[in-house]
Amino acid sequence: MLTLALLLAGGAATGCGGRATTHHKPGTSHEQASGSVGTLLTATDATGHRLREVPAQGAPEVRLTVRPDSEDGWNLQLAVTNYRFTPDSTGGAALPGAGHAHLELDGSKLARLYGPWFHLPAAQVPEGAHTLVVRLYADDHTAWAVSGKPVEGTAQLTATAASRPGGHSHGDTPAPTAPPAPASTEAPEQADRTVTITVRDGKVSPAPARTEVRRGERVALRVTSDRADTLHVHGYDKELALPAGQEATLILTADRTGLFEVETHESSLVLTQLLVR
């Protein structure tokens, strides 16, 4: 009876239910979880992610629509069917019709998407004709597939000087990372706790560990990366652009209890885990 109770308790602790989750060792890239959904193929998509084959009936679908933004760039909409975005459980086992998406420009990854809307700044798109692709992934980073082909949507985009109405100047070099969602950039001294992290040559310093904070505390994440990247706080869905070689700071109020991973998008490194009690 005691063993059965422990097993049931463990199952509840790792269920979905909207909780923050963590599924792999800090400081390493995400590992593919052993999911029982569909069939895990040996074939991969163009970016090296293994395909997870599911029947065509009831399979996830996505359609990409691109609309010019009145101020800068374009607004992208992902119209999905039989699918839901689950940012809180990224890194976990594959669940039916759930996960996140990747956005690619001419075959190069621009961002990981956790919702149906995304703003693409003109600075990220050189002038000329381009192809945008959004591809759907499971929480374990395998690509949903039907008949051996990844589930994806495409759209054409042509960037011209008119893509920058109002005379905004963004320079000639496109930014390599996605723009962050609105996030605080207040001074670190206004936070109750500051976590300073450095990423160099694919390694995190200090070594990733759990950072315990009390609910309601303000936490400053000060990160310096040797390559341009994007920081993401799971569960809070906060993002921050990390310019190469420059310190960037994100301040958030820990108003939700649980265990939340802080990772980088492009290098897929876990920087720390916020344990909010």
Side-chain angles (χ1 to χ4, degrees):
M1 292 294 291
L2 177 60
T3 301
L4 177 59
L6 289 174
L7 288 173
L8 290 174
T14 56
C16 283
R19 293 195 185 113
T21 56
T22 181
H23 302 274
H24 60 86
K25 183 179 179 182
T28 65
S29 60
H30 288 297
E31 298 174 355
Q32 293 174 342
S34 55
S36 58
V37 181
T39 303
L40 190 60
L41 306 180
T42 56
T44 64
D45 65 7
T47 59
H49 294 80
R50 292 180 66 180
L51 303 184
R52 185 173 293 277
E53 177 86 21
V54 292
Q57 184 174 2
E61 298 177 12
V62 59
R63 182 169 57 89
L64 178 62
T65 303
V66 180
R67 299 181 178 90
D69 185 85
S70 60
E71 183 176 344
D72 169 66
W74 303 266
N75 293 315
L76 279 54
Q77 181 183 16
L78 283 65
V80 295
T81 305
N82 301 323
Y83 189 80
R84 68 189 188 281
F85 292 96
T86 53
D88 282 3
S89 57
T90 300
L95 300 175
H100 56 276
H102 289 184
L103 172 66
E104 295 180 359
L105 176 70
D106 299 332
S108 297
K109 180 180 173 182
L110 284 182
R112 184 188 296 174
L113 309 184
Y114 293 98
W117 287 95
F118 181 79
H119 177 249
L120 178 61
Q124 290 189 254
V125 185
E127 290 192 18
H130 304 280
T131 299
L132 288 171
V133 175
V134 288
R135 188 175 301 117
L136 299 184
Y137 291 82
D139 284 329
D140 68 346
H141 300 275
T142 53
W144 293 112
V146 175
S147 300
K149 297 182 179 180
V151 175
E152 58 187 34
T154 62
Q156 302 302 312
L157 180 153
T158 300
T160 65
S163 304
R164 299 170 171 82
H168 296 292
S169 176
H170 298 274
D172 296 326
T173 303
T177 58
S184 171
T185 55
E186 302 170 59
E189 56 267 19
Q190 294 180 349
D192 300 306
R193 178 172 307 211
T194 299
V195 180
T196 303
I197 300 169
T198 301
V199 180
R200 184 177 299 277
D201 297 327
K203 296 182 180 179
V204 181
S205 178
R210 291 183 179 179
T211 302
E212 295 194 19
V213 299
R214 295 190 303 273
R215 183 173 183 177
E217 280 191 322
R218 291 169 57 77
V219 182
L221 300 171
R222 300 175 57 182
V223 180
T224 303
S225 173
D226 61 349
R227 56 170 289 183
D229 214 320
T230 304
L231 175 147
H232 179 78
V233 183
H234 286 283
Y236 288 86
D237 205 22
K238 294 287 188 180
E239 292 190 355
L240 177 70
L242 301 177
Q246 300 180 30
E247 182 180 274
T249 301
L250 169 67
I251 293 184
L252 62 85
T253 300
D255 54 5
R256 296 179 57 191
T257 58
L259 185 63
F260 305 91
E261 287 184 350
V262 180
E263 69 162 6
T264 56
H265 273 182
E266 298 302 318
S267 53
S268 297
L269 294 174
V270 173
L271 306 183
T272 188
Q273 296 173 332
L274 297 179
L275 179 59
V276 184
R277 299 182 183 278

